[in-house]
Amino acid sequence: MTFRQERVHLSDAEKGKRSTLEKEKPYVYEKIMKYDDKVKRGESVAILQFQYDYTCNFHCEHCCITKLRREKGPRSFTIPDVRELSRQADEMGLAHLVITGGEPLVFPDFDDIVKAVDPQKFYITSDTNGWFLDAERAKHLKSIGVDKIQLSLDSLSATEHDAFRRKKGSHERCLRAIDAAQKAGLNIIIQTVVTKQRVRSEEFVKFLEFLNGKGVGVFVTYAKPVGDWEGNFDVLVSRDDMDYMRGLEQKYNVFTHLTPGYGLDFGCIAVKRMVSITKYGDVMPCPYIHCSLGNFFKEPLKNIIERGLNIRYFGQYIDTCLIAEDRNFINNYERKKIMGRPLPVPCSDVFAPEDFIEPGQRRLLRPAK
């Protein structure tokens, strides 16, 4: 039986971005243009969310890496290791890497990280809380090959944002960072945390209107019961909330990791479209599912990602966020097998033999109707 998979058309904005990428980074563009064929073969086209270091100048209420930073591994990334990660990822045809932490703009070797990744081979995004992103720093980031800034902002209210991020003055600096990034010619999106309590609020709609008015898109991160919010199930959204969010996507420039992009609808993007790499080399399905698919310092990245795709939750289409909404996954895996243990937990301790599939059973995209 032939198994067709549904594709979506490129938006005008996506066409424009691809056209710009073709001019500025032709090698990266060529890799992305091969994504369709890779997906048809059941291969990952993962963005590498790279947690180079956990140093941070904030202590955010919901921090998801608190316990990861406590469990120190025998080895952590060096600049030569970053070059090797880049080499392996490039050989796999991957094209996008996100430098994160911690707060990347406090890393003293940030420029060396970018150089080791190689801007000619990758589209490079940097996460930031905005504290150190002024006009001069933004121009510098653009000059060394950073393409995009993913900036955290969680309220139009300075009082609420500063309280959530536990840093007085952070809201003001975040707004300054938006202007600095735009003036420097950096692509920029706002990443914002959305809870059950916020998703349908008037504040959130005004938040979208304000940022879209500045020409900035908003990436929604649904609240997760991990990190400093471990066990906080009251903040989790429902499927109805997600449907409401999809309605907002028709009116505003707002999206989630479930939003189809560049002609591909993966649903949950864990492993298929993203993996998270810790400071100590563990490769996780996403930044919030704290199990290790393998360690980069012990085996090739390709082998690790292949192992992840052979877990049915990550190698087949899932129409929700496993760790933000799927209560069965949260109860049976997060609560029973991950929560309360040293992180990340080996995937062999989290997933049973019946959770694995054969490569021929992979279905990475939404099935065609």
Side-chain angles (χ1 to χ4, degrees), residues 51 68 275-278 282-287 289-293 344:
Q51 301 172 1
L68 289 173
V275 292
S276 187
I277 304 172
T278 74
D282 287 294
V283 180
M284 304 186 299
C286 80
I289 300 176
H290 294 155
C291 77
S292 176
L293 302 172

Side-chain angles (χ1 to χ4, degrees), residues 4 7 12 20 24 31 49 52 57 60 63 69 74 93 107 160 167 172 188 210 231 256 359:
R4 296 192 303 119
R7 302 189 80 261
D12 289 340
T20 299
E24 296 182 354
K31 287 197 286 187
Q49 198 252 13
Y52 177 75
N57 59 322
C60 302
C63 182
R69 66 155 61 102
F107 301 164
E160 291 180 4
K167 190 78 168 181
E172 179 182 358
I188 182 171
F210 171 77
T256 75

Side-chain angles (χ1 to χ4, degrees), residues 179-318:
D179 295 336
Q182 289 181 317
K183 189 174 181 180
L186 288 164
N187 292 325
I188 182 171
I189 60 170
I190 292 296
Q191 178 172 304
T192 195
V193 179
V194 171
T195 62
K196 176 76 173 179
Q197 294 73 27
R198 190 185 185 206
V199 63
R200 298 173 187 261
S201 69
E202 182 179 354
E203 177 274 330
F204 183 55
V205 171
K206 290 182 177 179
F207 182 89
L208 297 178
E209 291 174 345
F210 171 77
L211 289 163
N212 286 182
K214 292 178 72 67
V216 179
V218 177
F219 172 54
V220 165
T221 298
Y222 290 124
K224 317 290 195 304
V226 301
D228 284 343
W229 271 0
E230 183 176 275
N232 186 356
F233 304 112
D234 293 337
V235 297
L236 303 187
V237 296
S238 66
R239 291 229 175 194
D240 285 344
D241 294 330
M242 287 181 166
D243 287 340
Y244 173 80
M245 179 63 68
R246 292 185 182 99
L248 292 180
E249 291 179 32
Q250 304 306 310
K251 301 178 183 179
Y252 302 102
N253 182 7
V254 60
F255 48 96
T256 75
H257 67 283
L258 298 170
T259 306
Y262 296 107
L264 300 169
D265 184 356
F266 290 101
C268 173
I269 63 173
V271 186
K272 311 173 189 73
R273 186 71 178 107
M274 170 172 278
V275 292
S276 187
I277 304 172
T278 74
K279 174 180 179 177
Y280 305 111
D282 287 294
V283 180
M284 304 186 299
C286 80
Y288 310 103
I289 300 176
H290 294 155
C291 77
S292 176
L293 302 172
N295 191 286
F296 173 75
F297 298 136
K298 297 179 180 179
E299 59 181 320
L301 179 65
K302 182 177 181 179
N303 293 359
I304 297 171
I305 290 181
E306 282 291 302
R307 181 179 299 119
L309 289 174
N310 288 335
I311 298 171
R312 61 189 175 97
Y313 291 105
F314 313 131
Q316 295 186 331
Y317 177 83
I318 300 290

